[in-house]
Amino acid sequence: MEQEDVAKTELQQKIQNKDPSVSLSELFGNESGTSGLKRHTCKAATPTGNQTKVTAFIKRKLPGGVKTRVARKIARFCCKDLRPFAVVEGAGFVSVVQELLDIGSQYGGAVRAEDLLPCARTVSRHVDGEYQKSKALVVEDLKQCTNYAVTTDLWTEEKTNTHYITVTVHYITVNWEMVNRILATKEMVGVKSGAHIRITVEEILQEFGIQSPNNVFVTDNGSNVVSAFKDYVRLSCAGHNINLALKYVFDNLEDDNPRHSPVIKLLHESKTLVSHFKRAGLQNELDQTLKQAVETRWNSKLLMLRSINDALKSGKLHRVLLARRELRFLNNIDSELLEDIIKLLTPFDEATRHLSADKTPTLHLVLPTKATLLKGLLIQADDSAIMKELKGKLTQAVELKFIVQLYHKVATALSPSLRSFLRKTLSAQEYEEVINTLAAFMTTGTEERVRDHADTAEEEEGTPPVSERGTTEVHNFFSSCVEEEETEAHSDEEGTSCRKFVLDYMLQNNSKMTRGESLLGFWKEMSGGLVAVAKKMLAIPATSTPSERSFSVAGRLIEERRTSLDPDNVNAILFLHSNI
């Protein structure tokens, strides 16, 4: 101890005298060096057992010239290989570039691109491997749920005249998130009969382990598709129904009817104008191009009329035609009638967009959509004779073509914001059918209902939990259907426990929505047998749009230079595009 004290005293004197001979080890001890740090490496910090180097957390700032060099190389790549400029913004491209950077960091700058990049045939072989891996993950994910909705549609690839069928599955996860996955885009060989369609779809669903007689299908109204799913619950696509109503009216206008002829002339002259601008190469003269009406595209008449109206208001359309002495193309376009028809058709476009959402429930909005459209078609005192005629015809078409089925009404009941609307809209018999259906669904969903009841038995034995819940999951488009709910007397009606629970829910004694709360968020916090019913019903989409969206993706995939692409590869590529 005396020797240590003497050493400490000498060291203190050296420090006071600023003696340069004092070493770091004398000041801090041997344990404070790098050897001590190495002994304290946290080997559990990484899967490899090696501690991450501090340099890994330092983001180096690249000189501006480096990014410019890369931009030039990519520009040359796009030109040399005829690739779109937007390729650099694709998540897949970014992932590949990052992998190449990581490889370069690991192996140094001596790696040649030619030694690293695979040939086209190798890439093609790996597509199937990636498809099989991703498919296995999807199959496992699907096992977590018990109820599925399915949308399907058929389409023909024009360049090769190959017929395809797309099957998409829809469900709500255990975390109450809506998911839709394209399961397959298969070639349809032979006649597209109802039996062939049913067998093909059932084989695809069986392949993913979700074939069940309880699956609900949403499709268009094609006779072969209707026949294919006659033994299942099949709902008509609401988007197709809206389009059919519009088509029913505008395809049956009569030239010799003085109230129809101005509309026919406006549509004809509008199509002529758009065709002229396309043929003459004048589209670039406008701020936004004129859109042509396409029969197979929903609401395309509105898009065409709206594009013309915008160009007229900007003055560009008039100036371009004036400079070319072609104002005759505007002579028969009635600007007042143009705006009236745009105003008339806009709600149909809004309805289609709301019902085609794929991240939020939509089935409960089908009945409110029909009610909203019909309300907007009520004839006003200041309407022109032409508009009164069109509104009358559209009202008839919506009543006839816009199909509302039992499942749509039941789904509406599952939106607390729409219960009052439902009671006031349905007849007593229809309302009773909704109540009985909900009760029946609770009874058949015994397994999940019992589990929910077991988790919240204490709550359900007493008064059901009351929570203040609002209405913002319903868009302003449906605001006329959402009213301040009036609490009604509790029903003492005799019946099954399920029926009593449904009646209590429908009378708002146990649940309202808070402002800003989503419909899925509401049911996530609820308990009781209706929770399982809500998860089943709200997973069903109002339209078959998710399957139809694959058509446009496929159109980009099967271009003129890829017409020999094998249908199996088409299926694998579209599956990976949707699911990775």
Side-chain angles (χ1 to χ4, degrees):
M1 292 293 296
E2 293 181 358
Q3 292 179 348
E4 290 181 8
D5 293 339
V6 171
K8 287 182 180 179
T9 302
E10 292 179 353
L11 178 61
Q12 290 174 354
Q13 290 177 349
K14 288 181 179 181
I15 293 172
Q16 290 175 357
N17 297 330
K18 299 182 180 180
D19 189 337
S21 65
V22 177
S23 65
L24 289 175
S25 61
E26 287 181 291
L27 281 172
F28 303 106
N30 293 329
E31 293 301 315
S32 61
T34 55
S35 58
L37 288 175
K38 288 179 180 179
R39 285 195 296 272
H40 288 84
T41 297
C42 181
K43 294 187 177 182
T46 62
T48 59
N50 297 321
Q51 189 171 16
T52 305
K53 295 181 180 180
V54 69
T55 54
F57 299 97
I58 301 175
K59 185 177 180 180
R60 298 178 61 184
K61 186 176 181 180
L62 293 173
V66 172
K67 196 165 184 177
T68 301
R69 281 167 50 198
V70 172
R72 288 173 180 168
K73 286 288 185 181
I74 291 177
R76 294 173 69 89
F77 150 67
C78 291
C79 297
K80 183 70 175 176
D81 295 348
L82 299 178
R83 294 292 179 263
F85 300 147
V87 69
V88 297
E89 298 173 357
F93 182 82
V94 172
S95 177
V96 170
V97 171
Q98 186 60 58
E99 184 68 20
L100 295 176
L101 288 172
D102 293 343
I103 291 172
S105 175
Q106 183 177 358
Y107 294 101
V111 179
R112 296 172 66 247
E114 293 82 355
D115 297 334
L116 181 60
L117 296 177
C119 66
R121 187 177 295 275
T122 301
V123 173
S124 177
R125 288 201 307 267
H126 278 75
V127 165
D128 184 64
E130 292 301 308
Y131 166 71
Q132 295 298 338
K133 287 194 294 185
S134 183
K135 180 180 176 182
L137 293 175
V138 170
V139 170
E140 287 300 313
D141 186 55
L142 291 173
K143 290 179 181 178
Q144 307 303 314
C145 300
T146 56
N147 294 301
Y148 306 95
V150 180
T151 57
T152 185
D153 211 339
L154 292 91
W155 56 282
T156 301
E157 201 291 301
E158 295 180 354
K159 299 180 181 65
T160 62
N161 201 36
T162 303
H163 305 295
Y164 289 93
I165 184 168
T166 295
V167 176
T168 306
V169 64
H170 309 257
Y171 58 98
I172 295 175
T173 68
V174 293
N175 294 322
W176 286 87
E177 295 176 350
M178 288 203 69
V179 176
N180 65 84
R181 295 183 181 277
I182 292 178
L183 297 185
T185 303
K186 291 289 183 76
E187 182 182 11
M188 286 283 290
V189 180
V191 63
K192 294 179 285 184
S193 65
H196 190 191
I197 293 171
R198 185 188 70 253
I199 292 171
T200 302
V201 172
E202 287 180 346
E203 287 177 347
I204 291 170
L205 297 177
Q206 187 65 47
E207 191 177 342
F208 285 84
I210 60 172
Q211 167 57 19
S212 168
N214 296 322
N215 288 337
V216 178
F217 289 84
V218 180
T219 73
D220 62 26
N221 299 320
S223 58
N224 55 347
V225 178
V226 172
S227 173
F229 304 110
K230 62 183 179 181
D231 296 327
Y232 293 86
V233 174
R234 189 200 68 84
L235 306 181
S236 296
C237 168
H240 278 92
N241 290 340
I242 290 174
N243 191 56
L244 284 173
L246 294 173
K247 184 176 175 62
Y248 178 79
V249 170
F250 286 96
D251 285 0
N252 290 288
L253 296 177
E254 301 169 353
D255 287 312
D256 56 354
N257 187 319
R259 295 183 179 180
H260 295 180
S261 56
V263 179
I264 296 173
K265 181 182 293 186
L266 174 64
L267 293 174
H268 177 267
E269 294 299 324
S270 297
K271 291 177 182 178
T272 301
L273 173 64
V274 176
S275 297
H276 173 66
F277 262 71
K278 286 189 171 184
R279 286 197 303 268
L282 301 176
Q283 295 277 47
N284 291 335
E285 301 290 330
L286 304 174
D287 294 331
Q288 293 183 343
T289 60
L290 301 181
K291 306 295 189 298
Q292 187 61 279
V294 181
E295 289 300 321
T296 56
R297 186 182 304 154
W298 293 346
N299 302 309
S300 63
K301 283 186 178 64
L302 174 63
L303 293 177
M304 176 183 69
L305 298 177
R306 190 179 281 163
S307 69
I308 293 173
N309 192 48
D310 290 343
L312 282 172
K313 286 186 173 181
S314 70
K316 288 286 184 70
L317 184 58
H318 186 275
R319 285 197 292 271
V320 170
L321 293 175
L322 178 63
R324 294 171 58 88
R325 298 182 180 179
E326 295 177 341
L327 287 178
R328 65 183 182 278
F329 286 100
L330 297 180
N331 288 343
N332 294 316
I333 293 182
D334 184 336
S335 58
E336 184 176 345
L337 179 59
L338 177 67
E339 291 197 356
D340 283 344
I341 294 181
I342 289 173
K343 184 178 179 181
L344 180 69
L345 296 182
T346 294
F348 291 87
D349 181 50
E350 287 185 46
T352 302
R353 286 189 289 105
H354 294 316
L355 294 176
S356 298
D358 56 8
K359 298 298 183 184
T360 56
T362 53
L363 193 69
H364 66 296
L365 298 177
V366 172
L367 180 60
T369 294
K370 184 171 184 175
T372 302
L373 290 176
L374 290 174
K375 185 175 181 179
L377 292 172
L378 293 175
I379 295 175
Q380 305 298 322
D382 58 348
D383 284 338
S384 66
I386 295 174
M387 295 310 297
K388 289 179 180 178
E389 178 77 7
L390 286 178
K391 282 186 173 183
K393 283 190 164 295
L394 281 171
T395 297
Q396 294 176 1
V398 169
E399 292 281 15
L400 179 66
K401 301 293 184 180
F402 198 113
I403 303 170
V404 176
Q405 294 162 266
L406 176 60
Y407 269 48
H408 297 130
K409 301 169 189 175
V410 172
T412 304
L414 293 170
S415 172
S417 304
L418 297 170
R419 288 175 298 194
S420 294
F421 158 77
L422 188 70
R423 286 195 302 274
K424 296 173 183 178
T425 303
L426 300 184
S427 66
Q429 182 179 352
E430 290 174 320
Y431 188 74
E432 184 70 12
E433 188 178 19
V434 170
I435 298 297
N436 290 337
T437 303
L438 283 171
F441 282 160
M442 288 179 65
T443 303
T444 55
T446 303
E447 180 180 348
E448 191 157 356
R449 180 172 63 86
V450 170
R451 183 169 65 251
D452 288 340
H453 181 81
D455 291 340
T456 58
E458 184 175 345
E459 288 183 346
E460 291 188 12
E461 286 175 3
T463 303
V466 177
S467 51
E468 296 299 324
R469 308 184 195 275
T471 63
T472 56
E473 100 283 357
V474 180
H475 190 273
N476 288 337
F477 180 77
F478 307 101
S479 59
S480 63
C481 301
V482 181
E483 303 175 12
E484 189 68 27
E485 297 193 49
E486 302 171 359
T487 300
E488 299 187 13
H490 187 281
S491 173
D492 294 324
E493 178 184 334
E494 293 293 330
T496 65
S497 59
C498 289
R499 179 178 171 81
K500 287 181 178 179
F501 190 90
V502 171
L503 286 171
D504 189 63
Y505 162 78
M506 291 302 293
L507 295 176
Q508 306 106 32
N509 291 322
N510 64 343
S511 54
K512 292 184 180 180
M513 291 183 67
T514 57
R515 185 173 299 278
E517 184 178 25
S518 70
L519 185 54
L520 292 184
F522 165 78
W523 283 107
K524 183 179 180 180
E525 299 301 321
M526 289 294 289
S527 60
L530 275 179
V531 174
V533 178
K535 182 172 282 189
K536 171 186 172 67
M537 296 297 299
L538 298 179
I540 304 171
T543 73
S544 59
T545 304
S547 284
E548 295 185 17
R549 288 193 182 112
S550 68
F551 302 170
S552 58
V553 177
R556 291 159 50 197
L557 171 64
I558 312 173
E559 57 174 357
E560 291 184 3
R561 293 181 299 170
R562 303 186 75 179
T563 53
S564 61
L565 196 62
D566 186 89
D568 287 340
N569 277 336
V570 171
N571 176 50
I573 292 170
L574 292 178
F575 179 88
L576 290 169
H577 176 78
S578 170
N579 292 291
I580 61 174

